[in-house]
């Protein structure tokens, strides 16, 4: 299991790089267009990822405070009952829980925003590459001069790059 994972850790990036190099030799303009568009996807996702991590940290902090509040209440249950402070302790726990839910929802919204931007930008980039390759094929440039075969090979190589990045 470990050796298989280690092999994949080394093999997958090499396969992606090899596929990208082959795609570049087939269609330099289309490949450069795709690679040039990567920062347009990476930058927003990186910025939104930081927001998700910050929200997640706050959410976990609020969960910790809520659990701590509950633990202290149960440990001091005799004292709480002696001073008839059940209502006050319950209110404090509910407020702590509300803060946790609020921070969790903020984290979930940030995560959903990150996922949706990634999806939109990835599909827009793929659409742009398809349009560019279609244009190059129709006008007979480079590897696409022979027609659909070069275009299919190019997209198979791009699919290999994408598959390698998924793992």
């Amino acid at each position: 299991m470990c050796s298989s994972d280690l092999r994949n850790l080394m093999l997958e990036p090499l396969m992606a790089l090899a596929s990208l190099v082959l795609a570049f030799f087939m269609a330099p303009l289309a490949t450069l267009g795709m690679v040039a568009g990567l920062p347009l996807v990476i930058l927003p996702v990186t910025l939104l990822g930081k927001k998700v991590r910050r929200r997640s940290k706050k959410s976990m902090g609020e969960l910790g405070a809520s659990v701590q509040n509950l633990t202290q209440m149960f440990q001091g249950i005799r004292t709480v009952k002696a001073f008839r402070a059940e209502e006050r302790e319950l209110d404090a726990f509910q407020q702590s829980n509300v803060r946790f839910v609020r921070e969790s929802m903020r984290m979930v919204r940030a995560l959903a925003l990150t996922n949706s931007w990634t999806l939109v930008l990835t599909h827009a980039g793929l659409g742009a590459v398809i349009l560019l390759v279609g244009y190059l094929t129709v006008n007979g440039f480079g590897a696409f001069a022979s027609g659909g075969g070069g275009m299919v090979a190019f997209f198979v190589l791009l699919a290999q790059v994408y598959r390698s990045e998924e793992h």
Side-chain angles (χ1 to χ4, degrees):
M1 179 76 175
C2 185
S3 66
S4 173
D5 289 340
L6 186 58
R7 186 181 71 229
N8 286 340
L9 184 65
M10 293 174 53
L11 189 60
E12 293 295 332
L14 289 175
M15 292 285 287
L17 184 62
S19 297
L20 200 57
V21 167
L22 286 172
F24 178 78
F25 283 121
M26 281 190 75
L29 188 59
T31 306
L32 285 176
M34 185 190 75
V35 171
L38 284 178
L40 297 174
V41 174
I42 293 171
L43 183 65
V45 170
T46 302
L47 294 175
L48 290 169
K50 288 179 182 177
K51 187 175 185 178
V52 169
R53 284 189 296 278
R54 189 172 57 248
R55 296 282 187 206
S56 179
K57 189 175 180 179
K58 283 184 178 182
S59 175
M60 289 298 108
E62 290 298 335
L63 176 62
S66 181
V67 168
Q68 183 180 16
N69 193 340
L70 190 62
T71 302
Q72 287 176 353
M73 183 174 61
F74 281 133
Q75 285 177 346
I77 194 74
R78 288 185 179 154
T79 307
V80 169
K81 285 187 171 271
F83 288 102
R84 297 183 184 196
E86 295 96 339
E87 204 59 40
R88 181 177 45 105
E89 291 295 325
L90 185 59
D91 286 342
F93 176 69
Q94 284 178 328
Q95 288 173 3
S96 181
N97 249 0
V98 166
R99 286 191 302 273
F100 165 66
V101 169
R102 186 179 334 116
E103 289 301 327
S104 294
M105 292 308 296
R106 286 180 176 170
M107 188 259 309
V108 167
R109 279 193 298 268
L111 187 59
L113 184 63
T114 301
N115 290 340
S116 54
W117 267 110
T118 302
L119 193 63
V120 165
L121 293 173
T122 301
H123 284 79
L126 180 61
V129 169
I130 289 171
L131 287 174
L132 179 61
V133 169
Y135 174 80
L136 294 173
T137 301
V138 168
N139 292 311
F141 285 105
F144 306 123
S146 63
M151 184 171 61
V152 170
F154 180 76
F155 282 117
V156 166
L157 289 170
L158 288 186
Q160 179 63 33
V161 170
Y162 179 73
R163 191 188 75 77
S164 294
E165 290 175 357
E166 266 184 359
H167 291 105

